[in-house]
Amino acid sequence: MEQKENVVLCGANSYEQKYYFNQDFSSLPEGIQKELQVMCVLFTEDVGGVLTLEYDAAGSLEFKVAVEDQDYLFDEIGSELKIRRYQKEKRELLESLELYYKVKFLGLPLEETSKSGREEDD
């Protein structure tokens, strides 16, 4: 399966006060879906803008933030800090979601995905 564009897992929009979950991932447990929703919605309530969690072509899960041009209330520094905090506190969840995507959607063998784990950032 060749992927040219990022695949959105979920996202929240502070401007429209909406949450989006990609139904292609509906096989994820409900508890994980709820945790993603809380994470995205709290992010946009705290700092504003639009947050999406997207898989790149390699299957890495990325936090993408978009802001409208005239949004002077958006907290850019808070946004970066919150993303780093999520990446640290939710590391196990995020790594599991990457593994799930690589195996289920990219069709990579489980053995291959476990060898290419993330490097320690600490």
Side-chain angles (χ1 to χ4, degrees):
M1 172 182 179
E2 191 167 316
Q3 172 185 316
K4 294 180 180 164
E5 294 183 12
N6 284 1
V7 174
V8 175
L9 169 61
C10 59
N13 183 327
S14 68
Y15 307 116
E16 298 177 11
Q17 296 185 336
K18 291 190 177 180
Y19 172 75
Y20 167 79
F21 182 79
N22 186 339
Q23 289 304 305
D24 290 344
F25 300 95
S26 62
S27 63
L28 284 171
E30 189 175 327
I32 290 175
Q33 291 183 37
K34 288 284 184 198
E35 189 170 354
L36 289 168
Q37 181 177 8
V38 167
M39 192 169 71
C40 289
V41 170
L42 284 178
F43 179 94
T44 57
E45 283 184 5
D46 287 349
V47 299
V50 178
L51 172 71
T52 55
L53 272 64
E54 303 179 11
Y55 290 103
D56 66 12
S60 296
L61 193 56
E62 302 174 343
F63 287 78
K64 299 283 186 166
V65 179
V67 184
E68 290 182 355
D69 289 338
Q70 302 299 317
D71 185 355
Y72 300 111
L73 298 176
F74 177 73
D75 182 359
E76 189 171 341
I77 295 169
S79 168
E80 290 294 322
L81 292 173
K82 196 161 201 72
I83 288 172
R84 286 191 192 130
R85 193 175 97 217
Y86 281 161
Q87 288 171 330
K88 184 177 180 183
E89 291 177 359
K90 306 286 187 184
R91 183 178 195 145
E92 188 175 324
L93 170 67
L94 299 172
E95 288 176 351
S96 297
L97 288 167
E98 286 180 353
L99 179 62
Y100 166 83
Y101 183 79
K102 289 174 182 177
V103 171
K104 182 162 174 113
F105 291 89
L106 298 181
L108 297 176
L110 188 57
E111 302 79 34
E112 189 177 318
T113 59
S114 60
K115 291 179 191 170
S116 61
R118 290 186 183 184
E119 298 293 321
E120 291 294 320
D121 294 330
D122 302 36

